[in-house]
Amino acid sequence: MLLSPVTWSQGKLALIIDDVGYNKHDINALYLEGQVTYSILPHTPHAIEYAEMARKANKDVMLHIPMEALSGKALGPGAILSSMTRLEVETRLGAALNEIPYAIAINNHMGSLLTQQAHTMRWTMEFLQRNNLFFVDSMTSNQSVGEEQAKRLGVPSLHRNVFIDNQLDEAYMRKQFEQLIRIAQKHRHAVGIAHPHPETVAFLAKTLPTLADRGVSLVPISSLIQQNIQFAAQKQPSRRQFE
């Protein structure tokens, strides 16, 4: 896993654009300025093309894995269900990674049911561990055990702080973005998730260039993972204490 270098002078904000791959207009999100991270829905019409565009632009690429929802909504290709065996889960994850082998992480698409299932999330984290990937919990359920299982297996992980565009009017998106900035300023880092809707892309195109003036830098998701790894290492007691 290639991780970006970390500096400590500002709050760090990672912005993930989810759901990339289904629609032609998703391409517009790829032209956003700065270190935006793109999470690609596997096996969708434009998945490989848009993932390759992001990679060539030196942007972090993730896999947006469909996972079973409490609502029972249709999930699309490559979905993971709570009824699946360990082999079936690993096969689905492996197929997604084979399609986009330079992905550095996964996050869940929907998944309010599946992310509450400890055994399935443990199988998922074991797959990530073997393939040197990390996990970002989209937090579609506040009962998710995704990060808990990741930590148990030593898989680097983060979670979503704010969804930017659950509503597509600009006033709502601005309110959500301001919340994300406040989190980044207070806690040194924050993770936002948005989607490639035309309204969202237009909002972000105007807003992302203003981050520097707010004392916040837009960074790839890998940078925040590196920051977390460094913090964890600093918290570990040195061997000298026990000698």
Side-chain angles (χ1 to χ4, degrees), residues 191-218:
V191 178
I193 290 180
H195 303 85
H197 306 300
E199 298 90 339
T200 304
V201 173
F203 170 75
L204 292 173
K206 291 189 299 183
T207 306
L208 291 178
T210 70
L211 279 174
D213 295 334
R214 307 290 300 277
V216 173
S217 56
L218 181 65

Side-chain angles (χ1 to χ4, degrees), residues 2 9 26 28 42 72 89 95 101 104 117 119 146 168 184 221 241:
L2 295 176
S9 59
D26 294 355
N28 296 319
V89 170
I104 62 171
Q117 307 296 316
H119 65 285
L168 292 177
I221 193 70
Q241 293 178 251

Side-chain angles (χ1 to χ4, degrees), residues 26-207:
D26 294 355
I27 195 171
N28 296 319
L30 296 167
Y31 297 122
L32 288 168
E33 293 183 14
Q35 284 295 328
V36 178
T37 298
Y38 297 93
S39 195
I40 310 293
L41 281 164
H43 319 306
T44 52
H46 305 286
I48 296 174
E49 175 190 359
Y50 292 171
E52 185 65 15
M53 286 181 63
R55 186 186 70 84
K56 287 181 177 178
N58 295 315
K59 307 294 180 72
D60 280 355
V61 175
M62 298 170 50
L63 288 167
H64 196 37
I65 301 295
M67 296 184 180
E68 189 173 358
L70 287 165
S71 65
K73 287 182 179 179
L75 294 167
I80 298 176
L81 307 176
S82 59
S83 59
M84 286 181 171
T85 65
R86 180 188 188 120
L87 178 59
E88 289 172 322
V89 170
E90 292 179 349
T91 299
R92 292 287 175 93
L93 291 169
L97 186 58
N98 286 339
E99 183 176 69
I100 304 173
Y102 43 82
I104 62 171
I106 74 166
N107 71 322
N108 52 295
H109 173 61
M110 293 193 270
S112 53
L113 173 62
L114 193 92
T115 59
Q116 297 183 46
Q117 307 296 316
H119 65 285
T120 311
M121 295 310 294
R122 184 174 67 253
W123 297 338
T124 300
M125 298 311 151
E126 289 171 348
F127 175 90
L128 298 184
Q129 183 186 52
R130 289 195 304 274
N131 288 278
N132 200 29
L133 303 174
F134 64 84
F135 176 66
V136 178
D137 196 331
S138 299
M139 292 300 294
T140 54
S141 167
N142 59 12
Q143 302 299 314
S144 173
V145 297
E147 272 203 294
E148 175 188 333
Q149 292 298 320
K151 289 174 181 177
R152 285 185 177 183
L153 288 164
V155 174
S157 63
L158 290 167
H159 63 270
R160 182 271 311 166
N161 297 110
V162 178
F163 279 122
I164 301 297
D165 55 353
N166 285 339
Q167 300 174 30
L168 292 177
D169 64 275
E170 184 168 340
Y172 176 85
M173 289 190 281
R174 189 165 299 283
K175 175 177 71 71
Q176 296 297 98
F177 203 82
E178 287 296 319
Q179 181 184 359
L180 189 63
I181 289 173
R182 288 195 296 272
I183 293 170
Q185 290 170 333
K186 182 176 181 180
H187 298 288
R188 281 193 169 186
H189 75 268
V191 178
I193 290 180
H195 303 85
H197 306 300
E199 298 90 339
T200 304
V201 173
F203 170 75
L204 292 173
K206 291 189 299 183
T207 306

Side-chain angles (χ1 to χ4, degrees), residues 3-13 156-158 183-184 187-190 217 219-235:
L3 297 175
S4 303
V6 177
T7 58
W8 305 94
S9 59
Q10 297 179 303
K12 309 291 182 183
L13 188 158
S157 63
L158 290 167
I183 293 170
H187 298 288
R188 281 193 169 186
H189 75 268
S217 56
V219 300
I221 193 70
S222 57
S223 179
L224 293 193
I225 286 288
Q226 179 65 45
Q227 178 172 303
N228 271 9
I229 291 171
Q230 291 181 11
F231 276 137
Q234 290 168 5
K235 289 180 180 179

